[in-house]
Amino acid sequence: MSDGLLNMLAGGQPLSVVQQHNLELYLGAYAQQNGTDAAIALVSGGIREASEFPYSGLSRDKQKFTDENFSFFEKNIWRADSENEAIFNKAVIRSGLEVWRSEDLLPTVMRQRRDFALMDALVGSPLASGSYLFGSLVGLSDDDRYALTMTAGNIALIAGATAAGKTGLLPVTGRLGINPVGEGGQKSSASSRRRVGESPRSDSVSVSTNSGTIKASETIGQPVEAVINGRKRMLRVDIEPNGKLQIQSGGGKDSFVDFRPDLSLPLAPQIDKAFRRLPKSARDQLVRNAEKGLRRLQETGNM
């Protein structure tokens, strides 16, 4: 992508503020590795023509090369990747990043991903928040503090996923368990005053022991692990006493994913469309859990 930005500069095309900032970052890194004179020579080197498909180049450069060099079959059906392109694609897949165009890997975009991931960890885990504050107090560098915070957040995520597999419960804003209904396992006075026919609160997560009754939010099946916005998430299928079915990660207002399919329509096409970026195996498991949840709603008369 740096070649594409340099070509725009050499061709007299105006660069946006973001494009100029990215080019400065690229040139700064190049100067650190090869010296200032080499960076200056790079800028004055003129237009650079691609000798092969610019697999990591700007989208406009990819399209230009494709139009000028590929056959109809290669454009629309299949073409072989070069050795370097195959290595690049494999690295992107292993990184877990969601990349839909090369511009998603620009330095400014990667920094934005990093900032959002940090915010997500701070909001979702008290352990991560404490690690961030500790890093600030002891004077860690930004990179070291970020690494410490993300490690703590991932530890909390792994612990939650482990507990979920054994208990059916998931972490909600960094804690495990269900929202309590009162002391000593007894219902609170507010719950006791619930009017006849009024639905129970649906902000708790539990697994009902009575197969004929849905008393609170139930998680159906095992949560499905997925990578969303560069972070591993546990997607679960929940059903509610009011007849709702939803696929979510997190809980309540802090839910990062909250998809509610139309239960009057087939579930599989809706889930495939909503989670089309996930692997087919993950989508299939979500469909199975959702269909099981729908049967549970129907059998208990909660539809």
Side-chain angles (χ1 to χ4, degrees):
M1 284 182 288
S2 56
D3 280 353
L5 295 174
L6 283 169
N7 285 342
M8 291 178 65
L9 183 66
Q13 301 180 45
L15 297 178
S16 68
V17 174
V18 174
Q19 289 173 331
Q20 183 174 345
H21 184 46
N22 279 297
L23 182 56
E24 290 170 354
L25 292 172
Y26 280 130
L27 290 174
Y30 188 84
Q32 286 182 344
Q33 294 178 355
N34 303 282
T36 303
D37 292 340
I40 294 175
L42 195 65
V43 174
S44 58
I47 302 293
R48 294 160 179 76
E49 296 293 341
S51 59
E52 64 174 346
F53 178 67
Y55 51 85
S56 63
L58 298 175
S59 297
R60 48 176 286 172
D61 295 335
K62 287 183 176 182
Q63 188 61 53
K64 182 176 182 293
F65 189 93
T66 297
D67 293 340
E68 294 177 353
N69 297 277
F70 290 157
S71 65
F72 177 84
F73 182 87
E74 290 173 318
K75 288 180 184 178
N76 300 281
I77 300 177
W78 179 84
R79 68 174 179 85
D81 294 341
S82 67
E83 181 180 357
N84 288 336
E85 184 178 0
I87 293 173
F88 173 80
N89 291 335
K90 186 177 294 185
V92 171
I93 292 172
R94 287 180 176 177
S95 73
L97 296 173
E98 291 186 1
V99 178
W100 304 105
R101 57 177 192 156
S102 297
E103 285 80 356
D104 291 337
L105 296 174
L106 283 167
T108 52
V109 179
M110 294 301 294
R111 179 68 194 198
Q112 188 179 50
R113 286 176 183 267
R114 171 189 168 117
D115 291 343
F116 277 126
L118 179 62
M119 291 174 60
D120 189 42
L122 293 174
V123 171
S125 170
L127 181 60
S129 300
S131 299
Y132 184 87
L133 291 175
F134 172 79
S136 300
L137 290 174
V138 300
L140 293 180
S141 67
D142 286 346
D143 288 341
D144 289 342
R145 182 176 58 184
Y146 174 82
L148 177 64
T149 303
M150 298 307 295
T151 299
N154 288 331
I155 290 174
L157 185 66
I158 293 171
T162 302
K166 296 180 179 180
T167 67
L169 305 178
L170 287 173
V172 180
T173 61
R175 60 187 173 85
L176 296 176
I178 62 174
N179 292 330
V181 295
E183 298 296 330
Q186 299 297 320
K187 293 184 178 179
S188 65
S189 58
S191 177
S192 301
R193 293 195 298 270
R194 185 179 295 123
R195 295 189 301 273
V196 175
E198 182 179 348
S199 297
R201 288 174 58 87
S202 59
D203 59 353
S204 61
V205 180
S206 68
V207 178
S208 173
T209 57
N210 185 344
S211 61
T213 305
I214 300 178
K215 295 182 178 180
S217 176
E218 290 187 15
T219 296
I220 305 298
Q222 294 297 323
V224 177
E225 184 179 285
V227 176
I228 301 176
N229 289 343
R231 290 200 63 196
K232 288 185 178 180
R233 307 278 181 182
M234 301 302 295
L235 298 177
R236 68 181 189 274
V237 174
D238 290 344
I239 57 175
E240 307 284 349
N242 57 10
K244 291 182 179 179
L245 183 149
Q246 57 196 29
I247 298 174
Q248 59 181 355
S249 173
K253 295 181 179 179
D254 297 313
S255 180
F256 186 81
V257 176
D258 190 354
F259 171 68
R260 305 187 182 192
D262 185 342
L263 301 185
S264 65
L265 300 174
L267 295 176
Q270 299 181 70
I271 293 174
D272 282 339
K273 181 178 180 181
F275 298 94
R276 60 186 177 278
R277 298 180 180 180
L278 300 186
K280 186 175 184 302
S281 58
R283 286 183 276 123
D284 288 345
Q285 185 59 52
L286 287 175
V287 170
R288 286 193 290 271
N289 289 348
E291 290 178 342
K292 183 177 178 181
L294 178 59
R295 289 195 297 271
R296 171 93 169 117
L297 289 172
Q298 293 170 337
E299 291 169 355
T300 55
N302 286 86
M303 289 293 293

Coordinates of all heavy atoms in Angstrom, one line a residue, residues 70-108:
F70 N -5.6 -9.8 -16.2 CA -6.3 -11.1 -16.0 C -7.3 -11.4 -17.0 O -8.0 -10.4 -17.5 CB -7.0 -11.1 -14.6 CG -6.0 -11.1 -13.4 CD1 -6.3 -10.7 -12.2 CD2 -4.7 -11.6 -13.6 CE1 -5.4 -10.8 -11.1 CE2 -3.8 -11.7 -12.6 CZ -4.1 -11.3 -11.3
S71 N -7.5 -12.6 -17.3 CA -8.5 -13.1 -18.3 C -9.9 -13.1 -17.6 O -9.9 -12.9 -16.3 CB -8.2 -14.5 -18.8 OG -8.2 -15.4 -17.7
F72 N -10.9 -13.3 -18.3 CA -12.3 -13.4 -17.8 C -12.3 -14.5 -16.8 O -12.9 -14.4 -15.7 CB -13.3 -13.7 -18.9 CG -14.7 -13.9 -18.4 CD1 -15.5 -12.8 -18.1 CD2 -15.2 -15.1 -18.1 CE1 -16.8 -12.9 -17.6 CE2 -16.5 -15.3 -17.6 CZ -17.3 -14.2 -17.4
F73 N -11.7 -15.7 -17.1 CA -11.7 -16.8 -16.2 C -11.0 -16.5 -14.8 O -11.5 -16.8 -13.8 CB -11.0 -18.0 -16.8 CG -11.0 -19.3 -16.0 CD1 -12.0 -20.2 -16.0 CD2 -9.9 -19.5 -15.1 CE1 -12.0 -21.3 -15.2 CE2 -9.9 -20.7 -14.4 CZ -10.9 -21.6 -14.4
E74 N -9.8 -15.8 -14.9 CA -9.1 -15.4 -13.8 C -9.8 -14.4 -12.9 O -9.7 -14.4 -11.7 CB -7.7 -14.9 -14.2 CG -6.8 -16.0 -14.7 CD -5.5 -15.4 -15.3 OE1 -5.6 -14.4 -16.0 OE2 -4.4 -16.0 -15.0
K75 N -10.5 -13.5 -13.6 CA -11.2 -12.4 -12.9 C -12.4 -13.0 -12.1 O -12.7 -12.6 -11.0 CB -11.8 -11.4 -13.9 CG -10.7 -10.5 -14.5 CD -11.4 -9.5 -15.4 CE -10.4 -8.6 -16.1 NZ -11.0 -7.7 -17.1
N76 N -13.2 -13.9 -12.7 CA -14.5 -14.3 -12.2 C -14.6 -15.7 -11.6 O -15.5 -16.0 -10.9 CB -15.5 -14.2 -13.3 CG -15.6 -12.7 -13.8 OD1 -16.2 -11.9 -13.2 ND2 -15.0 -12.5 -15.0
I77 N -13.6 -16.6 -11.9 CA -13.7 -18.0 -11.5 C -12.6 -18.4 -10.6 O -12.8 -18.7 -9.4 CB -13.8 -18.9 -12.8 CG1 -15.1 -18.5 -13.6 CG2 -14.0 -20.4 -12.3 CD1 -15.2 -19.3 -14.9
W78 N -11.4 -18.4 -11.1 CA -10.3 -18.9 -10.3 C -9.0 -18.4 -10.9 O -8.8 -18.3 -12.1 CB -10.3 -20.4 -10.2 CG -9.2 -20.9 -9.4 CD1 -9.1 -21.1 -8.0 CD2 -7.9 -21.4 -9.8 NE1 -7.9 -21.6 -7.6 CE2 -7.1 -21.8 -8.7 CE3 -7.3 -21.6 -11.1 CZ2 -5.9 -22.4 -8.8 CZ3 -6.1 -22.1 -11.2 CH2 -5.3 -22.5 -10.1
R79 N -8.0 -18.2 -10.1 CA -6.6 -17.9 -10.5 C -5.7 -18.4 -9.4 O -6.1 -18.5 -8.2 CB -6.3 -16.5 -10.8 CG -6.4 -15.6 -9.5 CD -6.0 -14.1 -9.9 NE -6.0 -13.3 -8.7 CZ -5.0 -13.2 -7.8 NH1 -3.9 -13.9 -7.9 NH2 -5.2 -12.4 -6.7
A80 N -4.5 -18.8 -9.7 CA -3.5 -19.3 -8.8 C -2.9 -18.2 -8.1 O -2.5 -17.2 -8.7 CB -2.5 -20.2 -9.4
D81 N -2.7 -18.3 -6.7 CA -2.0 -17.3 -6.0 C -0.5 -17.5 -6.2 O 0.0 -18.6 -6.3 CB -2.3 -17.4 -4.5 CG -3.7 -17.0 -4.2 OD1 -4.4 -16.4 -5.0 OD2 -4.2 -17.4 -3.1
S82 N 0.3 -16.4 -6.2 CA 1.7 -16.5 -6.2 C 2.2 -17.0 -4.8 O 1.4 -17.0 -3.9 CB 2.3 -15.1 -6.5 OG 2.1 -14.2 -5.4
E83 N 3.4 -17.3 -4.7 CA 4.0 -17.9 -3.5 C 3.9 -16.8 -2.4 O 3.4 -17.1 -1.3 CB 5.4 -18.3 -3.6 CG 6.0 -18.9 -2.4 CD 7.5 -19.3 -2.6 OE1 8.0 -19.2 -3.7 OE2 8.1 -19.7 -1.6
N84 N 4.2 -15.6 -2.7 CA 4.2 -14.5 -1.7 C 2.7 -14.2 -1.3 O 2.4 -13.9 -0.2 CB 4.9 -13.2 -2.3 CG 6.4 -13.4 -2.4 OD1 7.0 -14.2 -1.6 ND2 7.0 -12.6 -3.3
E85 N 1.8 -14.2 -2.3 CA 0.4 -13.9 -2.0 C -0.1 -14.9 -1.1 O -0.9 -14.6 -0.2 CB -0.4 -13.8 -3.3 CG -1.8 -13.4 -3.1 CD -2.6 -13.2 -4.3 OE1 -2.0 -13.4 -5.4 OE2 -3.8 -12.9 -4.3
A86 N 0.2 -16.2 -1.3 CA -0.3 -17.3 -0.5 C 0.2 -17.1 1.0 O -0.5 -17.4 1.9 CB 0.2 -18.6 -1.1
I87 N 1.5 -16.7 1.1 CA 2.0 -16.5 2.4 C 1.3 -15.4 3.1 O 1.0 -15.4 4.3 CB 3.6 -16.2 2.4 CG1 4.3 -17.5 1.9 CG2 4.1 -15.8 3.7 CD1 5.8 -17.3 1.6
F88 N 1.1 -14.3 2.4 CA 0.4 -13.1 2.9 C -1.0 -13.5 3.4 O -1.5 -13.2 4.5 CB 0.3 -12.0 1.9 CG -0.5 -10.8 2.2 CD1 0.0 -9.9 3.1 CD2 -1.8 -10.7 1.8 CE1 -0.8 -8.8 3.4 CE2 -2.6 -9.6 2.1 CZ -2.1 -8.6 2.9
N89 N -1.8 -14.2 2.5 CA -3.2 -14.6 2.9 C -3.2 -15.5 4.1 O -4.1 -15.4 5.0 CB -3.8 -15.3 1.7 CG -4.1 -14.3 0.5 OD1 -4.2 -13.1 0.7 ND2 -4.1 -14.9 -0.7
K90 N -2.2 -16.4 4.2 CA -2.2 -17.3 5.3 C -1.9 -16.6 6.6 O -2.5 -16.8 7.7 CB -1.1 -18.4 5.1 CG -1.1 -19.5 6.2 CD -0.1 -20.6 5.9 CE -0.5 -21.3 4.6 NZ 0.5 -22.5 4.4
A91 N -1.0 -15.6 6.5 CA -0.7 -14.8 7.7 C -1.9 -14.0 8.2 O -2.2 -13.8 9.4 CB 0.5 -13.8 7.4
V92 N -2.7 -13.4 7.2 CA -3.9 -12.7 7.6 C -4.9 -13.6 8.3 O -5.5 -13.2 9.3 CB -4.5 -12.0 6.3 CG1 -5.9 -11.4 6.7 CG2 -3.6 -10.9 5.8
I93 N -5.1 -14.8 7.7 CA -6.0 -15.7 8.4 C -5.6 -16.1 9.8 O -6.4 -16.1 10.7 CB -6.2 -17.0 7.5 CG1 -6.8 -16.6 6.1 CG2 -7.0 -18.1 8.2 CD1 -6.8 -17.7 5.1
R94 N -4.3 -16.4 9.9 CA -3.8 -16.7 11.3 C -3.9 -15.6 12.3 O -4.0 -15.8 13.5 CB -2.4 -17.2 11.1 CG -2.2 -18.6 10.5 CD -0.8 -19.0 10.4 NE -0.7 -20.4 9.9 CZ 0.5 -21.0 9.7 NH1 1.6 -20.3 9.9 NH2 0.5 -22.2 9.2
S95 N -3.9 -14.4 11.8 CA -3.9 -13.2 12.7 C -5.3 -13.1 13.3 O -5.4 -12.4 14.4 CB -3.6 -11.9 11.9 OG -4.6 -11.5 11.0
G96 N -6.3 -13.6 12.7 CA -7.7 -13.5 13.3 C -8.3 -12.2 12.9 O -9.4 -11.9 13.4
L97 N -7.7 -11.3 12.1 CA -8.2 -10.0 11.8 C -9.3 -10.2 10.7 O -9.2 -11.0 9.8 CB -7.1 -9.1 11.3 CG -6.0 -8.7 12.2 CD1 -4.9 -7.9 11.5 CD2 -6.6 -7.9 13.4
E98 N -10.3 -9.3 10.8 CA -11.3 -9.3 9.7 C -10.8 -8.3 8.7 O -10.8 -7.1 8.9 CB -12.7 -8.9 10.3 CG -13.3 -9.9 11.2 CD -14.7 -9.5 11.6 OE1 -15.2 -8.4 11.2 OE2 -15.3 -10.2 12.4
V99 N -10.4 -8.8 7.5 CA -9.9 -7.9 6.5 C -10.7 -8.2 5.2 O -10.7 -9.2 4.6 CB -8.4 -8.3 6.2 CG1 -7.8 -7.4 5.1 CG2 -7.6 -8.1 7.5
W100 N -11.4 -7.1 4.8 CA -12.2 -7.2 3.6 C -11.6 -6.4 2.4 O -12.0 -6.6 1.3 CB -13.6 -6.7 3.9 CG -14.2 -7.4 5.0 CD1 -14.4 -7.0 6.3 CD2 -14.7 -8.7 5.0 NE1 -14.9 -7.9 7.1 CE2 -15.1 -9.0 6.4 CE3 -14.8 -9.7 4.1 CZ2 -15.6 -10.3 6.7 CZ3 -15.3 -11.0 4.4 CH2 -15.7 -11.2 5.7
R101 N -10.6 -5.6 2.7 CA -9.9 -4.9 1.7 C -8.5 -4.5 2.3 O -8.4 -4.5 3.5 CB -10.6 -3.6 1.2 CG -10.9 -2.7 2.3 CD -11.6 -1.4 1.7 NE -11.7 -0.4 2.7 CZ -11.8 0.9 2.5 NH1 -11.8 1.3 1.2 NH2 -11.8 1.8 3.4
S102 N -7.5 -4.3 1.4 CA -6.2 -4.0 1.9 C -6.1 -2.8 2.8 O -5.3 -2.7 3.8 CB -5.2 -3.8 0.7 OG -5.1 -5.0 -0.1
E103 N -7.0 -1.8 2.6 CA -7.0 -0.6 3.4 C -7.3 -0.9 4.9 O -7.0 -0.1 5.7 CB -8.0 0.4 2.8 CG -7.5 1.1 1.6 CD -7.7 0.3 0.3 OE1 -8.1 -0.8 0.4 OE2 -7.5 0.9 -0.8
D104 N -7.8 -2.1 5.2 CA -8.1 -2.4 6.5 C -6.8 -2.7 7.3 O -6.8 -2.8 8.5 CB -9.0 -3.7 6.6 CG -10.4 -3.4 6.1 OD1 -10.8 -2.3 6.2 OD2 -11.0 -4.4 5.7
L105 N -5.7 -2.8 6.6 CA -4.4 -3.0 7.2 C -3.5 -1.8 7.2 O -2.3 -1.8 7.6 CB -3.6 -4.1 6.5 CG -4.3 -5.5 6.5 CD1 -3.6 -6.5 5.7 CD2 -4.4 -6.0 8.0
L106 N -4.0 -0.6 6.9 CA -3.3 0.6 6.9 C -2.9 0.9 8.4 O -3.7 0.6 9.3 CB -4.1 1.8 6.4 CG -4.1 1.9 4.8 CD1 -5.2 2.9 4.4 CD2 -2.8 2.3 4.2
P107 N -1.8 1.6 8.7 CA -1.4 1.9 10.0 C -2.4 2.5 10.9 O -2.6 2.2 12.1 CB -0.1 2.7 9.9 CG 0.4 2.4 8.5 CD -0.8 2.0 7.7
T108 N -3.1 3.5 10.3 CA -4.1 4.3 11.1 C -5.3 3.4 11.4 O -5.9 3.5 12.5 CB -4.6 5.5 10.3 OG1 -5.1 5.1 9.0 CG2 -3.6 6.5 10.2

